[in-house]
Structures are given as structure tokens and as C-alpha cells.
Amino acid sequence: MIVNSLSLCYHNKLILAPMVRVGTLPMRLLALDYGADIVYCEELIDLKMLQCKRVVNEALSTVDFVAPDDRVVFRTCEREQSKVVFQMGTSDAERALAVARLVENDVAGIDVNMGCPKEYSTKGGMGAALLSDPDKIEKILSTLVKGTRRPVTCKIRILPSLEDTLSLVKRIERTGIAAIAVHGRKREERPQHPVSCEAIKAIAETLSIPVIANGGSHDHIQGYLDIEDFRRATAASSVMVARAAMWNPSIFLKEGPRPLEEVMQKYIRYAVQYDNHYTNTKYCLCQMLREQLESPQGRLLHAAQSSQEICEAFGLGAFYEETTRELDARRAKLLARSPEEAEGPAEDTSGIIKMAIKFDRRAYSPQITPKMCLLEWCRREKLAQPVYETVQRPLDRLFCSVVTVAEQKYQSTLWDKSKKLAEQAAAIVCLRSQGLPEGRLGEESPSLHKRKREALDQDPGDPRTQEPAMPGELCKKPFVALASGQESPLEGW
Ligand SMILES: Cc1cc2nc3c(=O)[nH]c(=O)nc-3n(C[C@H](O)[C@H](O)[C@H](O)COP(=O)(O)O)c2cc1C
């Protein structure tokens, strides 16, 4: 996806602040629904992002940035494309630029976090640690401004002295950034300390670029109208809200907040539709419930160990069933049209023999599964039992299994809904690539063997051996290299 407007306007805007764990896609979409103009993602660390691959997730209609362990680090979608600001944690200009280039076609703006006082951030020279290194700030921001197509911003805290703060922000402005967000607290101050509206005001009166005021939740901002009061008190262009929006994202609604129960239900619907990990969903709902965590609903939420259980706790069990059924159908349709479907066995550079196979249990007798066939065959051949290794990818929770038989690995390229199904698919790849019966209903085992034996007996130069080969004959590596006089593994079936 390509954002058409290259320039996001930061004047007179209501903004959802960056919040670790809170600012994932469901929360951002909800804030937009309730009237936020711009939404920041949670801070994502440059090194982590640089390991990610951009993946178009057709089943969800999202763009995912996926880590090597298949975790989705950043998920976004078309709906927020022109409103989402990507916030990164960085201490290095080149890395920052590489991240900006990775995400720039999918987001509206790029932000650098210079306000996080947490040790995990400052230890790496990121977050608030940057505030004591203006040279580095300048390098990072000017590199980003020159190198990315998106407007660049940063989010800072104030310094111990106003004079130093003003000289820092002037230097920052000269890098050419589009706007600056100011959390009106010092690095060592916590949310219970009062926010300095005066410091934000002094910055706003000094700079020409838009200043985004932040830090007003609780003391200043409890409702929609308070946002404008905070903006006036700080003379800022725009206001960025964190905690008040985390507690109830309908704070952005002009008409006043919606009941929490309704807001949470809407949040859960987005979470299910966009396959948000249930631990993240649960965390955000706990932030909204706050004092009500001890209520019956709070207890159910606390006990929930899956998205389904969360939905059930909020009376959304039927919605969960229906939505996951639709998603599964979409995934199945996408898999069905995969070009891999038509491919025969292939051995890739990993040495694993792969085929695009799905185990359809209706096509097999319940008494004879492919796994059983393979085990039986291994026993007859006095081979070690097949060993199955299965992984689940967090992206869509699907499973893939690799089976090892006689030191050769076999795998289906199609991912499955359960470990059992994935193992059966791997077993089929193994059996089919050797031309062995796999327990399919109506399978004619004897003729399979007969054809196979005939093919082996034939002179390779004989044109009849050029007939379409059995899958197993395409396989480059048989289970075992047969010494002359040894029984063929195909015998006995
Ligand atoms: C749960 C949580 C996570 C936060 N994560 C981030 C973050 O990722 N990046 C950032 O710049 N600030 C982060 N902050 C700070 C907020 O963006 C904001 O500066 C601070 O909460 C003050 O604004 P408020 O008074 O509206 O809450 C976080 C705050 C909270 C409560």
C-alpha cells in the first residue's frame, strides 16, 4: 500500500499517544472510530524491526512486519494508513533510516522516541538518554528527514532547566522535522508529578513547527472538553493523549464518552477480526477495567487463556465463532489457490522433501491414517520410528510438522490448523514421495505396488518407463540406499 498524501498535518489534531502494548492495531482503530485524528503505534525498537520481513496478510487484509520467529511485531491496515505514525526506539541514525525505509510505504509518519525513561530504553542510548546527546539527536533526525518520504517527528521530555530545553528544541527544529511532541515532565518524573504546562507553552511560543502537548491525562484531561483546555493552557497546536485514552478510548468523542462495556466490546471485535494475540487483548482490557478487575467480569477476564474465552467473558462467543470461521474459510481459499498446490515433490536447499499436501480426514479411513501407514512401514523395514517435529507460527497460529525417517526429512508446505493434522500431512509427503500406500479410502495398494515393481523392473531405456512417474519416483533421495540383493522398501505392501 502507498500513502498518497506525503505530508501529514500536525496542526489542531487529537492524537493517540504511543503506548507500549496498548497501541497495537485494535486500539488504534478504535481511537480512530472515536475521533482521534492521528494514532501512534507503540514504540518499536530499531534492531527488532530490522529483523522483520514485510508480509502482506491477505486473509486479514493487513500488512505485517514479521520477526524470524514468526511473531508479528507491527501490524497495520489500509484504514489507518494515512493516520498512523510509526514510533521507533533508536540510538543510531543509519538504523533509524533503515527502519523508516522498511515501513514508510505503509505509514503516514515516522517518530523517534526521546522521552522513555525506562532502563531498557536508556541503557541502549535510546529514549530519554538521547536528551543528553544533542549531537546524536541531530544526526538521527536530519538523516531521517533527508532519507524518508514521510514527515519526521520526535517525542521528548523537558530538561531540568527551561533554558536548556529551549535551546535543545530550537536545534531539533533546525533538522527540518514536521512537529515535536512534548511530554511536560522531566526524565526522572513519574505520572504522579504535575505536568508543566508552562514549559510546553514556552516551547510552543518559541518554535514555528507544531508543538503537540502531552502529559495531561488524569490531572487535566478527564473528558473530551478537557483536551481543548489543555491545548489552550499549553498554547500547543495539538494534544496527544495516553492514559486517558488507554482507560477509555472514547475520550476522543465530541459527544462524550461511551459506556466502558460498549467500548470494550468494540475493542474485542477488532482484536478478533485482526487476530490480535489474546495476551495483548487481555492486557488492554485490564487497563480499561481498572478498578473493576475484581468484578465477576474482571475475574472471567483474568482467568481467560484464549481469545475465545475473552469473547465468552464479554458475551461475544457467537461473534468469535463466526469470525474465526470466516477467517479460516478465507485462509483455506487462499491456500487452495496457491501455486504450490499443483507442484510435485521438490527438494529445496534445506534438504527437506516438500509437497503441498493437506490431510483431509474424510478421504481416509479412521482406522488407517497416514501416520499409522508410515509407522507400520518403518517397523517392517526395521527403521527407527518416524520422528515428528511441529512448530506453530504466531502469525496465524497454524502448525507445520516435519517428519524424519531414515535421516531424511519430509514436510508439507501447507500449514494446518492443528498439530495432529500437520503431522498427518508430513506423513503423507513421506509416503507419497516414496509411492507408498497412505491409507486413502479406495486406495488400491496392490496395483500401486505392481506398477511400482514393474517400473523398477523395466529397462530405463524402454519408452514405457517414460510414463508419468509415481510421486515416489521423482524423489531424489530414497529412504535407504539399497545394496544389491537387499529387499526393496516397496516390497511387502
Ligand atoms: C502503558 C504506557 C505505555 C507507554 N509507552 C510509550 C511508548 O511506547 N512511547 C512513548 O513515547 N511513550 C510511551 N508512554 C508515555 C505516554 O506516551 C505519555 O507520554 C505519558 O503517559 C503522558 O501522557 P498522558 O498524561 O496522556 O498519559 C507510555 C505510557 C503508558 C501509560
Side-chain angles (χ1 to χ4, degrees), residues 34-293:
Y34 285 131
D37 300 302
I38 295 174
V39 289
Y40 278 53
C41 76
E42 60 178 330
E43 177 196 42
L44 293 165
I45 305 300
D46 56 3
L47 283 169
K48 187 155 201 181
M49 282 305 295
L50 290 176
Q51 296 179 342
C52 290
K53 245 171 69 181
R54 180 186 183 275
V55 177
V56 176
N57 185 331
E58 288 181 87
L60 296 179
S61 303
T62 57
V63 172
D64 299 342
F65 291 84
V66 184
D69 63 1
D70 280 339
R71 265 171 214 274
V72 178
V73 175
F74 176 56
R75 171 167 284 162
T76 182
C77 67
E78 192 141 14
R79 160 87 205 287
E80 66 168 4
Q81 196 185 347
S82 60
K83 320 227 165 189
V84 64
V85 172
F86 181 91
Q87 188 191 59
M88 71 174 91
T90 188
S91 60
D92 179 87
E94 294 312 314
R95 282 205 304 267
L97 182 58
V99 173
R101 293 231 170 106
L102 178 69
V103 299
E104 67 181 0
N105 287 338
D106 300 303
V107 301
I110 303 285
D111 184 76
V112 179
N113 184 359
M114 301 184 177
C116 181
K118 299 261 164 71
E119 207 193 324
Y120 64 77
S121 199
T122 53
K123 235 179 21 194
M126 301 182 290
L130 283 171
L131 296 175
S132 41
D133 194 347
D135 290 343
K136 196 178 270 179
I137 292 183
E138 194 176 284
K139 178 107 194 285
I140 292 172
L141 292 178
S142 45
T143 303
L144 281 172
V145 169
K146 279 190 212 112
T148 175
R149 306 193 298 138
R150 297 289 160 239
V152 176
T153 54
C154 66
K155 177 165 174 279
I156 64 162
R157 282 183 176 236
I158 54 176
L159 300 179
S161 94
L162 182 61
E163 201 188 337
D164 289 343
T165 308
L166 293 181
S167 97
L168 177 68
V169 294
K170 279 194 254 175
R171 203 168 161 188
I172 287 176
E173 184 180 46
R174 284 196 294 270
T175 63
I177 60 166
I180 183 167
V182 182
H183 179 182
R185 291 188 178 87
K186 296 176 191 132
R187 179 175 163 170
E188 61 289 347
E189 285 179 331
R190 294 293 160 261
Q192 58 272 23
H193 291 107
V195 62
S196 173
C197 293
E198 301 71 36
I200 303 176
K201 188 163 185 242
I203 295 170
E205 284 166 352
T206 302
L207 300 185
S208 318
I209 55 171
V211 169
I212 303 165
N214 171 245
S217 290
H218 195 267
D219 292 350
H220 294 262
I221 303 173
Q222 275 145 27
Y224 176 83
L225 294 175
D226 302 329
I227 301 177
E228 175 57 15
D229 289 348
F230 185 60
R231 193 193 66 74
R232 275 208 213 106
T234 54
S237 262
S238 296
V239 174
M240 172 183 268
V241 185
R243 287 165 298 156
M246 169 176 82
W247 297 324
N248 187 339
S250 70
I251 183 106
F252 295 112
L253 209 56
K254 216 182 289 165
E255 297 77 21
R258 300 302 306 161
L260 204 56
E261 178 71 19
E262 179 188 311
V263 173
M264 288 193 293
Q265 291 219 354
K266 221 165 138 50
Y267 175 84
I268 294 169
R269 283 171 191 271
Y270 273 136
V272 175
Q273 276 162 16
Y274 287 100
D275 203 13
N276 202 44
H277 197 274
Y278 85 91
T279 52
N280 183 254
T281 305
K282 191 168 157 175
Y283 178 81
C284 293
L285 291 169
C286 285
Q287 304 307 314
M288 292 185 212
L289 268 183
R290 294 169 76 197
E291 291 97 28
Q292 295 168 48
L293 275 172

Side-chain angles (χ1 to χ4, degrees), residues 351-367:
I352 303 176
I353 292 176
K354 295 179 179 175
M355 291 169 73
I357 301 265
K358 274 237 162 205
F359 172 65
D360 177 358
R361 66 171 92 234
R362 290 164 306 180
Y364 292 81
S365 142
Q367 284 83 31

Side-chain angles (χ1 to χ4, degrees), residues 297 300 306-318 320-321:
Q297 194 169 50
L300 281 175
S306 65
S307 294
Q308 183 164 16
E309 285 174 19
I310 294 174
C311 285
E312 280 160 4
F314 285 81
L316 290 170
Y320 176 84
E321 294 284 336

